[in-house]
Amino acid sequence: MTEIGARTRDFETAVLPHLDLLYRVARRYTRDTPRAEDLVQETVLKALAHWDSFRPGSNARAWLLTILRNTFVSGYRKARREAVSLDPEALDRVSTRPEVAADPSGEFFARITDERILAAVEALPHDFREVVVLSDIEGMSYAEIAQVLGVPVGTVKSRLFRARQRLQAELLDYAVSMGWVRPRVAG
Amino acid sequence: MSGSTGCREAIALLEDWLKAELTPEVAEQVRAHFDRCRPCFRHAEFERRFLAELEAAGRGDRCPERLRAELLREIRGADPA
């Protein structure tokens, strides 16, 4: 290995530990493996080009995800003719969770598969999908997510709440349809 | 929040509690409520397990080695040193 300069070394130290994260988030954003790889590559090269604007000691993970998100929104998403800006009315139309089905023996958790869960995540509208991915899969704080999305913490929380409701409704409906759990009878 | 935490209060704080975004004092009061209230405990336990399943489902992926090697080549190829 040839010697590398301090700038490159610092960049590698800050960025390479986050490649798995960037790849996972890119897959959930694009819902397509080749496009996810392109998105990661473009993100890392943009980060390298703008490395001088990164403040040493600040949050590299949030910085990288902001670049990834901006790249996705400006390019990949438009290419798919998906809505680029958040439509609050569309999100408000999302149905809320039905009464949690009765699951006294834990059948739901015993039988639900990773594939089924990820399919339900990918079926969420983008703005819901991304808060679930960043919060509940990647473990980012409200503040970090607010930074990446450029929205107030309260927006992150309300979006996350509704996203989880929708995700649970989807998965519980499936569990009921499979006969794993009984729907709760009203009254 | 003062005194003992009621059901409505505990459930309203559940999301933040599960995300460890409460102060230690408030988090402890919420936990104490779940310890003594069976219906709230079941609700909280379902949410906790749901989030654990979600995290486990999503965290399996890793950046492919081929892509990692390609990125490293590009980063070092751009190195002026």
Side-chain angles (χ1 to χ4, degrees), chain A residues 26-44:
Chain A
R27 278 198 73 182
R28 300 281 92 80
Y29 272 23
T30 62
R31 297 180 285 192
D32 178 87
T33 305
R35 287 172 71 226
E37 295 195 7
D38 289 347
L39 179 55
V40 170
Q41 187 156 24
E42 201 173 328
T43 299
V44 170

Side-chain angles (χ1 to χ4, degrees), chain B residues 11 33-46:
Chain B
I11 295 303
H33 178 80
F34 293 143
D35 278 352
R36 65 175 181 270
C37 177
R38 196 75 198 155
C40 284
F41 173 81
R42 278 200 298 268
H43 185 146
E45 190 59 10
F46 183 90

Side-chain angles (χ1 to χ4, degrees), chain B residues 39-61:
Chain B
C40 284
F41 173 81
R42 278 200 298 268
H43 185 146
E45 190 59 10
F46 183 90
E47 296 293 328
R48 188 193 64 72
R49 289 189 69 183
F50 181 82
L51 292 179
E53 291 288 335
L54 183 53
E55 181 180 12
R59 286 296 283 269
D61 272 344

Side-chain angles (χ1 to χ4, degrees), chain A residues 30-140:
Chain A
T30 62
R31 297 180 285 192
D32 178 87
T33 305
R35 287 172 71 226
E37 295 195 7
D38 289 347
L39 179 55
V40 170
Q41 187 156 24
E42 201 173 328
T43 299
V44 170
L45 295 181
K46 273 189 194 173
L48 182 61
H50 294 99
W51 178 235
D52 296 328
S53 72
F54 177 77
R55 279 180 294 109
S58 65
N59 188 335
R61 172 166 85 160
W63 182 70
L64 288 165
L65 284 171
T66 305
I67 296 172
L68 184 143
R69 183 177 191 272
N70 290 342
T71 304
F72 175 73
V73 169
S74 67
Y76 293 72
R77 216 172 163 190
K78 267 183 203 152
R80 291 272 300 255
R81 297 179 183 280
E82 288 181 42
V84 171
S85 64
L86 176 67
D87 175 359
E89 289 187 14
L91 296 183
D92 281 339
R93 283 196 295 272
V94 165
S95 67
T96 54
R97 176 176 51 177
E99 281 295 298
V100 172
D103 184 23
S105 54
E107 283 293 291
F108 175 75
F109 292 113
R111 290 175 179 254
I112 198 77
T113 63
D114 289 354
E115 290 72 24
R116 178 63 56 177
I117 292 172
L118 289 180
V121 170
E122 296 201 346
L124 291 170
H126 173 83
D127 295 297
F128 280 176
R129 193 165 70 242
E130 87 175 338
V131 289
V132 163
V133 168
L134 298 180
S135 166
D136 297 345
I137 295 179
E138 301 302 340
M140 296 175 76

Side-chain angles (χ1 to χ4, degrees), chain A residues 158-174:
Chain A
S158 64
R159 212 176 279 178
L160 183 60
F161 183 74
R162 286 182 294 160
R164 285 173 177 166
Q165 280 190 322
R166 171 135 169 184
L167 193 57
Q168 285 190 3
E170 173 90 17
L171 291 169
L172 286 168
D173 281 352
Y174 176 75

